Amino acid sequence: MKWIATYLPALYAACAAVSISALMSIYDGKSLVQTITGSIACGIMTLAIAGSLEFLGFPANAVTFLGASIGFLGAEKVRNKVTSFIEGREKGQKGEQ
């Protein structure tokens, strides 16, 4: 119970991401498999980022907003943004060498 109380904001944010992502996928008319896998991916992404908020420049209490935002964007858009961020960093490092 103490673990749940400690990580409740992150768990709440992950549940928000899963719920919003599922609702947006249903609204967009995606298949059941796409809805489930995309929602789970959004929840996992939220949990992964929740522990790194201060490193990313966000206050620790912004975790629910972040989870809702990830869920609203959906797994595909989040994947595209992360990929473009990483590719931009790689191009910048290659240009410096």
Side-chain angles (χ1 to χ4, degrees), residues 8 49 71 79 92:
L8 188 61
I49 293 175
R79 180 183 61 215

Side-chain angles (χ1 to χ4, degrees), residues 19-33:
S19 302
I20 292 171
S21 177
L23 291 172
M24 294 305 294
S25 293
I26 291 169
Y27 179 79
D28 290 341
K30 294 184 179 177
S31 71
L32 181 63
V33 172

Side-chain angles (χ1 to χ4, degrees), residues 3-4 7-16 47:
W3 183 87
I4 291 173
Y7 295 103
L8 188 61
L11 295 174
Y12 178 74
C15 289
L47 288 174

Side-chain angles (χ1 to χ4, degrees), residues 83-97:
T83 302
S84 65
F85 174 76
I86 291 171
E87 289 173 352
R89 300 263 312 179
E90 287 176 355
K91 288 179 185 177
Q93 290 177 352
K94 288 180 183 177
E96 293 174 0
Q97 293 177 353

Side-chain angles (χ1 to χ4, degrees), residues 6 29 61 67:
T6 303
N61 61 358

Side-chain angles (χ1 to χ4, degrees), residues 15-91:
C15 289
V18 168
S19 302
I20 292 171
S21 177
L23 291 172
M24 294 305 294
S25 293
I26 291 169
Y27 179 79
D28 290 341
K30 294 184 179 177
S31 71
L32 181 63
V33 172
Q34 288 176 322
T35 299
I36 292 171
T37 56
S39 299
I40 291 171
C42 286
I44 292 170
M45 177 66 76
T46 300
L47 288 174
I49 293 175
S52 309
L53 285 180
E54 291 179 16
F55 174 73
L56 298 171
F58 292 100
N61 61 358
V63 69
T64 304
F65 172 75
L66 183 72
S69 298
I70 289 172
F72 184 74
L73 287 173
E76 293 174 13
K77 288 183 183 175
V78 171
R79 180 183 61 215
N80 291 339
K81 290 192 180 294
V82 170
T83 302
S84 65
F85 174 76
I86 291 171
E87 289 173 352
R89 300 263 312 179
E90 287 176 355
K91 288 179 185 177

